[in-house]
Structures are given as C-alpha cells and as structure tokens.
Amino acid sequence: MVNDSKISVIKRNGQKEPLNLEKIHNILEMACKGRTGVSVSDIAMKAHLSFYDGMTTKGIHGALIKSAADLISDTSVNYQYVAGNLLNYEIRKQAWGGMKPPRLYDHVKKMSEANYYHQDLLGYFSETEWDNIETIMDHDRDLNMSFIGINEYMTKYSIRDRSSKFMTPLETPQITYILIAIL
C-alpha cells in the first residue's frame, strides 16, 4: 500500500493536492448519519485499498461508493442507504456543481436553454410560481433512497448529458419528481 502522505489526488478542476483523509472521513460520516449497523472505518479501509497516487477525487468517491455497496448483506442492510447517499452526493456534484441545490427556476431555464427540457416548460409558470413550487421540494428525501434505487433512477430516469461516455446526470430525483408532478 502507498503511504498516504505520498498520495496526490487530482481534483475535479484539475488541481493536484495531497490526499486528505479528513475529507473522506467527513463525507463518510455524512453518508452514515442516522444509520445503525454501519462503520465509517470499514468503508474507508475497504476503499483505501484501491487508492493510488494520481487518482482523481471522482475515482476516490467511486471507490467509497463501491466499498459501501460491497458491504451490503443480509445482516448489514443499512449499507444500501450509505452507498445510496454516496451516489446521491456524486449526482449532486455533477448536476449542481456542489452540494447546494440550484434555484428551480434557474435550473429549468438553464436546462431549457441547453435543449434538455422543452423550450416551453419555463413559460408554463411565472418566476414567482416556480419559486412557490420549489418550496414543496425537500432534497433530503433523496437521502432515503437505497443504492439500487438511486442507481436505477440515475441510469433510467434522470436527464443525462449523453455526449460523454459517462452520461453525466443533469438533475436529481427531487427535481425530476417535481417536474413530473407539475406537468
């Protein structure tokens, strides 16, 4: 195994920095919050086996998701929610550019301008009505989805950028669900 102090990671913006185990621990703590029968250290140790110098932070996050998913068993069922949360965090980073949700009106406008949503969608409601619709949304509901549930959503129902081989998700479950509900 490579010494942690010698591992550099490549961030999403292309910058190189030393591996920060505290960041990994924090994201795992967040993903495990409120779940019994799961271990942050078990996920971290299992994922750490696949870390290498020059690994991307996206690759590290993928290793964490895989580690949590690999720990799902008949006796450790809550790992399905930990793996789901980790995958959800990845979707948020890709779709939102971080963990903070965009304003619904701005998201619909951006997606309409990029031709992912129908051009008329934004005009169905006034900007104020879009803001009112947004008050119904609770993005934390997505954190109750199991790994298989969020994976199925992402691969079958989410609007995705299909121009890259990774088919990057462009929306999260709550955005999809509210758009279905209002139309």
Side-chain angles (χ1 to χ4, degrees):
M1 185 183 320
V2 179
N3 181 341
D4 291 339
S5 63
K6 297 184 187 226
I7 296 178
S8 292
V9 297
I10 300 168
K11 296 175 63 167
R12 291 169 197 267
N13 65 7
Q15 274 188 303
K16 200 172 187 182
E17 70 177 32
L19 176 66
N20 185 335
L21 294 177
E22 188 174 327
K23 281 184 182 178
I24 292 169
H25 181 77
N26 290 342
I27 195 91
L28 288 174
E29 284 285 334
M30 208 166 64
C32 291
K33 186 178 179 182
R35 302 288 176 195
T36 59
V38 295
S39 168
V40 167
S41 58
D42 285 352
I43 300 167
M45 285 191 306
K46 190 169 180 53
H48 194 254
L49 295 174
S50 62
F51 292 177
Y52 58 88
D53 188 44
M55 188 173 197
T56 64
T57 54
K58 183 178 171 99
I60 289 173
H61 197 94
L64 295 174
I65 294 167
K66 182 178 181 338
S67 294
D70 286 349
L71 290 168
I72 300 168
S73 71
D74 291 342
T75 57
S76 300
V77 295
N78 279 338
Y79 282 109
Q80 69 182 318
Y81 298 106
V82 175
N85 287 347
L86 290 167
L87 183 54
N88 194 315
Y89 300 155
E90 181 64 22
I91 292 170
R92 289 176 177 195
K93 286 180 182 179
Q94 292 176 0
W96 300 345
M99 295 299 284
K100 186 176 186 262
R103 180 176 172 226
L104 182 60
Y105 176 84
D106 295 337
H107 175 78
V108 172
K109 182 177 181 183
K110 177 178 139 187
M111 294 290 283
S112 296
E113 289 171 352
N115 293 317
Y116 288 107
Y117 293 164
H118 193 278
Q119 296 293 316
D120 295 340
L121 178 60
L122 195 62
Y124 289 170
F125 303 99
S126 69
E127 189 169 343
T128 302
E129 289 170 323
W130 279 109
D131 289 340
N132 288 336
I133 292 166
E134 184 173 3
T135 65
I136 301 167
M137 297 172 64
D138 179 1
H139 293 283
D140 287 342
R141 287 184 190 131
D142 294 344
L143 302 178
N144 293 323
M145 294 178 76
S146 68
F147 174 69
I148 193 72
I150 193 82
N151 194 52
E152 286 293 302
Y153 162 78
M154 186 176 79
T155 58
K156 294 186 176 152
Y157 304 106
S158 171
I159 299 290
R160 294 173 287 154
D161 178 358
R162 296 174 185 270
S163 65
S164 76
K165 69 178 183 177
F166 301 110
M167 293 199 297
T168 306
L170 298 171
E171 60 186 5
T172 57
Q174 290 306 304
I175 291 175
T176 302
Y177 300 155
I178 199 71
L179 292 177
I180 290 168
I182 64 174
L183 299 176

